Amino acid sequence: MGEVTILVTILGMSAVTLLIKMSPLVLLGNRKLPRGVEDIMKHLPVAVLSAMVVQLLMVKDGALNLTFDDALVWAALPTVVTAVVTRNLFASIAVGMGFVAVVRLIAG
Amino acid sequence: MSTPDTHSQSSWWRDIFRGIGITLPVLAVYVAVGMAYGVLAVDSGIPPWLAVLMSAMVYAGTAQLVGVQMIALSSPPLSIIITAAVINARFFVMASALVPYLRHLTWWQRLLYGVQMTDATFALHISRLPHANASRTEIFTTNVAGHIVWIGATIAGVIVGQTANNLEAFAIDFAMPAMFIGLLVPLVRGRSQLLVAIAAGAGTLAFHAAGLAFWAILLATLTGLVIGWGADRWAK
């Protein structure tokens, strides 16, 4: 992707993000969102994060990679366990990255 | 009549220090994640100055990381922008929730607040503002410090990423998935949220298998939202 295309993409991302973040504070006053919208939006963080994790672990160079021969895929297991037990972001990242580093060291 | 100037100046500094103190844990996370983002961005082939510009102008971690991934995949710019809008739509709900506690700000101060709002600063303020009488100085110290540290960490990450071009040696390529797993797991508290996570994850695989690689995250996210909404209705 060319530099100008990336710049235009970033400006577009910035425009929509700023509009979303600012408009309630500037325009909404004191009104509340429709109940239905809130009910759906509350699932957004879980949905996005799950989609992201799967994409990062199972998609390589734009194509599905379901061979399970990558340390990254297996590292998800100790990372999930650490996150469930500790609920600590730093601990999860450290255990996951440590697992990957050790596996790669052993596998050469 | 004591010295009003000296007094207001010392309370100004006190509010700044209090703001920084409250924000410190968030700033520590921003250093790590901002650096990881900077490394990932240059690793994905984004020019360093554009990676830093995105941190300054978009300032939304998840959308930036998704954006970088999609740029690396040469996704159509419109799909990247729409995806950023979908991912950041939650900020509309969050900003609406803050409206009652920011009414003492002028309209342009609220506009500035919106520019610098993040998940973490929202979490800090929504738990503090209803109970504490936080000054404008303290509120904006949190927001400005977060923004500056995020941009600074990105610059550091961009520099590190350019020198250390073998990310696998440091397992930095797992930093992002690990962070998302660490953020995701505590959010999955009930059966419907587990269902949302499974639906969105399976949806990502399905949309990739269907040849919709550029739209997979967006479509899988929407699938997760619909499934979650349906599960909630079913449970009622």
Side-chain angles (χ1 to χ4, degrees), chain A residues 1-31 33 36-64 66 70-73 75-76 79-80 83-84 87-90 92-98 100-101 104, chain B residues 28-29 32 46-47 49-50 53-54 57-59 62-63 66-67 69 71 73-75 77 80-81 84-93 95-96 99-100 102-103 107 110-111 113-115 117 168 170-188 192-193 196-197 200-201 204-205 208-209 213 217 220-221 224-225 228-229 232:
Chain A
M1 201 182 271
E3 227 172 63
V4 176
T5 313
I6 298 175
L7 176 63
V8 170
T9 305
I10 290 172
L11 293 179
M13 289 172 75
S14 178
V16 295
T17 303
L18 294 183
L19 201 68
I20 290 164
K21 284 181 174 179
M22 295 182 318
S23 53
L25 289 166
V26 176
L27 304 174
L28 197 70
N30 221 356
R31 272 164 293 180
L33 281 175
V37 176
E38 267 181 62
D39 285 347
I40 293 178
M41 294 309 294
K42 73 171 187 227
H43 293 298
L44 189 76
V46 169
V48 170
L49 288 170
S50 182
M52 287 291 303
V53 169
V54 171
Q55 164 126 337
L56 284 167
L57 296 181
M58 310 299 285
V59 178
K60 232 175 187 164
D61 304 321
L64 274 184
L66 302 174
D70 196 335
L72 292 192
V73 180
T79 311
V80 168
V84 168
R87 312 246 140 191
N88 183 298
L89 187 54
F90 276 133
S92 308
I93 295 171
V95 167
M97 290 176 73
V100 172
R104 282 181 183 156
Chain B
V29 173
I46 314 261
W49 73 277
L50 286 172
L53 184 77
M54 200 195 283
M57 291 193 64
V58 180
Y59 189 32
T62 310
V66 176
Q69 293 283 315
I71 289 170
L73 291 170
S74 288
S75 305
I80 303 174
I81 293 165
V86 170
I87 292 170
N88 288 335
R90 69 184 186 282
F91 285 118
F92 192 89
V93 184
S96 307
V99 166
L102 298 175
R103 244 182 279 147
W107 72 268
R110 275 180 280 143
L111 192 139
Y113 187 99
V115 171
M117 184 181 63
E168 295 201 354
F170 302 95
I172 292 175
D173 54 342
F174 194 68
M176 223 56 56
M179 185 190 74
F180 283 130
I181 291 170
L183 289 168
L184 170 63
V185 167
L187 294 174
V188 182
S192 75
Q193 277 153 344
V196 171
T204 306
L205 296 179
H208 269 284
I217 288 180
T221 300
L225 292 184
W229 179 77
D232 288 343

Side-chain angles (χ1 to χ4, degrees), chain B residues 64 75 83 108 153 198 218 229:
Chain B
Q64 287 182 234
S75 305
T83 303
W108 64 267
I198 292 168
L218 174 61
W229 179 77

Side-chain angles (χ1 to χ4, degrees), chain B residues 141-159:
Chain B
T141 297
T142 291
N143 292 2
V144 172
H147 204 173
I148 289 173
V149 167
W150 181 250
I151 294 167
T154 303
I155 293 170
V158 159
I159 292 166

